[in-house]
Amino acid sequence: MRALDTDILILGSGGAGLFAALHAHAADPSLAITVAVKGLLGKCGCTRMVQGGYNVALAKEDSVERHFMDTIEGGKWLPDQELAWQLVTLAVERVRELENELGCFFDRNADGTIHQKAFAGQTFDRTVHKGDLTGIEIINRLAEQVWARRIGRLEEHRAVELVKTKDGAALAGVLMIDMRAGDYVFVRAKAVLLATGGGPTMYRYHTPSGDKSCDGLAMALRAGLPLRDMEMVQFHPTGLLAGAHTRMTGTVLEEGLRGAGGYLLNGAQERFMPRYDPLAERATRDFVSRAMVTEMRKGKLTPNGGLYIAMGHLGPEKVARDFKGMVERCADCGFDLAGGLVEVVPTAHYMMGGVEFAPDCTTALPALFVAGEDAGGVHGANRLGGNGVANSTVFGAVAGDSMAGWVKREGALREPDRAAIDAAIARCEPRIAAAHGALEPLRERLYDVMWDKVGIIRERAGLEAALAELEEIAGELEACGIADANRAFNLSWHDWLNLRSLTEVSRVIAQAALAREDSRGAHFREDFPQTGALERSAYSSVRAGAGVTMKPVAFTRVRPGESLLSRGAS
Ligand SMILES: Cc1cc2nc3c(=O)[nH]c(=O)nc-3n(C[C@H](O)[C@H](O)[C@H](O)COP(=O)(O)OP(=O)(O)OC[C@H]3O[C@@H](n4cnc5c(N)ncnc54)[C@H](O)[C@@H]3O)c2cc1C
């Protein structure tokens, strides 16, 4: 096993990881910073896939208070208000930094101000964007800046275990697999950032990048950390539905389509959203996704079993101009988005849940920091479109500043618990024996159980059945192993590890969904359809082996029924 030492180890190179690297380096250029990533730096993760854009209160008529209230009300009063406040206030700084220091070009108005477009669920059009493929601009510029600095890179290195000191008092480092060689590497670090980006890829239809398999959340669970809001999985209403034969199925068609006035139609080409909500297609994602499933249950389906989105009434030329990327993506799959109908289905998109953390990105485990989609509490029960990339860049930067300070104050290289490393290696070694292809049926079972029983509409019996089935899948995964003993770039091995992380995290999603006996935001229980009293809002907190605890939300800035806007803010 190779051993490396570094001051700061960052796991993941999305918006959170790269911002953390740049900020830690700016705080102290003498620090040894290493970014370890499962894919290639700048080419993987979901920040690169961001389409619609980035929420930030820039316009004179808008305010951070308004953005905050939208975030709290969108999150159904479950967000941690201090985290949400950090999000909305620091987003302003981050967008300025992206433009003025890092070189991003966002779309502009004729008067030179930044163009901000409409996204669903917001009271102001505040989404900054670069066409409809904003993430490529952000990640390319961030990656260039990281490459230009003395920041170490471990690409195609997969983190597999957070290893503590022998007394368990702090994190000592991270065990990884160098995927190219198949060897283990232990990286000792004074501070570690978990920024592996969550990613609900355990559902039949899902949007996140293929490198994401909830590894970070699974590692945090095994390290004994509490995760919050795990029942809150966001489904994006408009996943492309192009048949089972293509990986394009499930990929997202951006929110701006509904924001701009797109219609959702059932298989009989009838518009249905106005029957479910006065905001119709511009209602929040949770509401639209649920209405879509309800409509699908009525049986008027498209050829592939979903619904349609139609944009043609807005003018095909305008649609082709404003949504070039989306129109091309649909054309690749044989659909005419500008003038015709495109088949869509709700698709698992984002995890509001994640590791419990403080506004300075510290966690319950000294030396471990968390940011981005691995972190829980910013969005509560529902993430507004555009608040995801804001979240990863804002808290990535906070984590970079915070880790640099921590290393200076109390950072030391600590001795890892050698027995824990040995146990983690043993855990990663699959049985070499299985019949070829044994993993695929298990993946299909996982997809089905999560989609059918822990999906958009849930109820007790289904969740209990899901937990039993997930237990079986976990057991069968251990038993099945893989067929090929070659360690270098063994994708079956990594798939096996992916499925184990996904199954571990699926179990806590189902447990938290069972524990929350009301319906709120992304979580809907047919057997408990009402939202509980907002004043007594509680969030779920789950630890491996310790079950779920419901903890009261602290209304530190505003209480249900109040608004920061009515207190005189603009
Ligand atoms: C298609 C799509 C469109 C989106 N559009 C928008 C939008 O318009 N607006 C918005 O606000 N949000 C959007 N989002 C959400 C947004 O992308 C995410 O909220 C955000 O980018 C997450 O950033 P992150 O840094 O936490 O994770 P990511 O950017 O996903 O990065 C995670 C990183 O961790 C690495 N990693 C994973 N596992 C390991 C491991 N075991 N070891 C080492 N590295 C690991 C990955 O390779 C990757 O580099 C979209 C998401 C998708 C999928």
Side-chain angles (χ1 to χ4, degrees):
M1 185 178 69
R2 261 193 304 147
L4 292 173
D5 286 346
T6 187
D7 291 325
I8 292 179
L9 174 64
I10 293 169
L11 304 178
S13 71
L18 295 183
F19 250 104
L22 292 174
H23 270 241
H25 184 271
D28 182 352
S30 70
L31 285 173
I33 301 169
T34 306
V35 180
V37 49
K38 203 171 174 183
L40 296 176
L41 191 142
K43 304 289 181 206
C44 55
C46 288
T47 309
R48 193 177 172 80
M49 299 165 80
V50 164
Q51 300 176 349
Y54 189 124
N55 288 347
V56 54
L58 295 179
K60 275 207 295 294
E61 305 75 19
D62 197 8
S63 65
V64 290
E65 288 81 1
R66 186 180 287 278
H67 186 182
F68 176 80
M69 287 311 303
D70 284 349
T71 302
I72 299 298
E73 279 170 1
K76 309 296 174 216
W77 294 88
L78 284 195
D80 177 306
Q81 298 195 354
E82 296 313 302
L83 297 177
W85 186 253
Q86 289 259 69
L87 173 79
V88 300
T89 50
L90 296 182
V92 181
E93 281 180 28
R94 290 295 73 75
V95 158
R96 299 283 182 222
E97 183 179 352
L98 281 164
E99 273 233 322
N100 301 336
E101 295 176 41
L102 303 173
C104 285
F105 283 108
F106 296 119
D107 287 7
R108 307 195 92 82
N109 299 308
D111 66 359
T113 53
I114 294 182
H115 182 258
Q116 295 186 271
K117 68 179 175 186
F119 251 27
Q122 301 194 57
T123 59
F124 195 88
D125 296 349
R126 65 168 68 90
T127 307
V128 170
H129 63 110
K130 168 86 176 176
D132 58 1
L133 295 173
T134 309
I136 292 177
E137 178 73 0
I138 293 177
I139 279 294
N140 283 357
R141 301 295 83 78
L142 283 172
E144 286 162 8
Q145 296 292 339
V146 167
W147 285 327
R149 286 165 175 75
R150 200 183 56 83
I151 292 173
R153 280 184 268 153
L154 291 173
E155 294 180 301
E156 291 172 331
H157 276 63
R158 170 189 195 134
V160 287
E161 199 78 353
L162 303 173
V163 179
K164 299 183 205 172
T165 52
K166 200 158 184 187
D167 62 3
L171 185 66
V174 179
L175 181 70
M176 319 234 200
I177 298 171
D178 169 352
M179 296 165 73
R180 295 171 185 177
D183 299 336
Y184 291 98
V185 183
F186 186 73
V187 185
R188 268 199 318 169
K190 296 173 183 171
V192 174
L193 177 66
L194 196 65
T196 66
T201 53
M202 64 284 274
Y203 286 90
R204 171 158 296 289
Y205 302 110
H206 60 253
T207 68
S209 58
D211 49 321
K212 298 220 298 194
S213 51
C214 294
D215 294 344
L217 297 176
M219 286 189 287
L221 274 172
R222 293 198 298 273
L225 288 158
L227 309 191
R228 64 173 283 174
D229 299 328
M230 287 304 291
E231 71 278 26
M232 300 300 177
V233 178
Q234 178 168 79
F235 287 78
H236 194 296
T238 48
L240 187 59
L241 185 58
H245 62 284
T246 167
R247 293 288 298 268
M248 293 300 286
T249 282
T251 58
V252 80
L253 297 179
E254 72 132 311
E255 180 122 325
L257 297 173
R258 287 183 296 119
Y263 290 159
L264 291 169
L265 310 178
N266 62 23
Q269 301 190 26
E270 298 154 349
R271 188 171 174 221
F272 56 88
M273 276 310 300
R275 280 193 267 119
Y276 293 88
D277 191 280
L279 289 174
E281 286 82 359
R282 285 187 68 165
T284 48
R285 291 176 177 180
D286 54 325
F287 206 92
V288 179
S289 296
R290 208 156 52 246
M292 288 172 76
V293 170
T294 310
E295 191 68 18
M296 284 162 69
R297 286 181 175 179
K298 291 182 184 164
K300 291 181 183 171
L301 300 174
T302 61
N304 283 308
L307 301 162
Y308 291 116
I309 188 163
M311 301 294 293
H313 58 282
L314 301 172
E317 278 168 24
K318 181 176 163 46
V319 176
R321 191 177 58 244
D322 293 351
F323 298 100
K324 186 169 175 291
M326 295 300 103
V327 169
E328 286 169 3
R329 170 171 297 185
C330 291
D332 286 345
C333 297
F335 294 115
D336 172 14
L337 176 67
L341 297 174
V342 180
E343 285 185 70
V344 290
V345 67
T347 178
H349 187 48
Y350 187 92
M351 301 175 78
M352 275 70 81
V355 179
E356 289 184 31
F357 77 118
D360 62 357
C361 293
T362 50
T363 67
L365 179 61
L368 180 70
F369 296 73
V370 68
E373 206 174 321
D374 275 345
V378 181
H379 311 290
N382 194 15
R383 171 184 70 92
L384 297 180
N387 269 0
V389 63
N391 173 58
S392 59
T393 54
V394 160
F395 287 100
V398 170
D401 297 337
S402 199
M403 287 190 295
W406 158 270
V407 168
K408 195 166 187 180
R409 279 193 319 277
E410 42 199 317
L413 286 171
R414 288 166 291 271
E415 269 314 297
D417 179 352
R418 297 280 156 190
I421 297 180
D422 292 343
I425 290 177
R427 189 184 173 279
C428 287
E429 289 294 304
R431 239 164 47 88
I432 307 295
H436 181 67
L439 285 180
E440 217 38 47
L442 286 173
R443 185 200 320 280
E444 291 293 324
R445 270 178 71 191
L446 179 64
Y447 280 168
D448 282 344
V449 66
M450 292 305 284
W451 183 258
D452 294 338
K453 302 192 173 92
V454 197
I456 295 168
I457 298 180
R458 305 160 171 179
E459 46 82 40
R460 171 172 294 279
L463 290 167
E464 284 171 348
L467 278 166
E469 214 170 316
L470 288 167
E471 175 114 31
E472 271 177 35
I473 292 173
E476 286 179 36
L477 265 172
E478 294 309 314
C480 100
I482 59 167
D484 178 1
N486 186 355
R487 306 183 71 85
F489 249 121
N490 185 332
L491 294 183
S492 298
W493 181 19
H494 289 285
D495 233 4
W496 181 74
L497 291 168
N498 289 345
L499 282 170
R500 284 166 104 206
S501 294
L502 287 172
T503 307
E504 278 174 74
V505 174
S506 296
R507 289 162 96 167
V508 296
I509 294 174
Q511 283 167 5
L514 197 53
R516 176 172 288 288
E517 294 191 332
D518 76 345
S519 291
R520 218 179 255 238
H523 171 76
F524 186 82
R525 289 273 304 253
E526 266 182 318
D527 45 352
F528 295 98
Q530 304 302 328
T531 297
L534 293 180
E535 277 291 341
R536 291 198 298 280
S537 292
Y539 66 90
S540 67
S541 173
V542 57
R543 272 179 206 267
V548 183
T549 317
M550 300 304 289
K551 298 183 179 171
V553 175
F555 300 118
T556 52
R557 287 178 185 264
V558 62
R559 305 192 68 79
E562 293 177 357
S563 166
L564 292 192
L565 300 176
S566 55
R567 289 187 193 157
S570 61

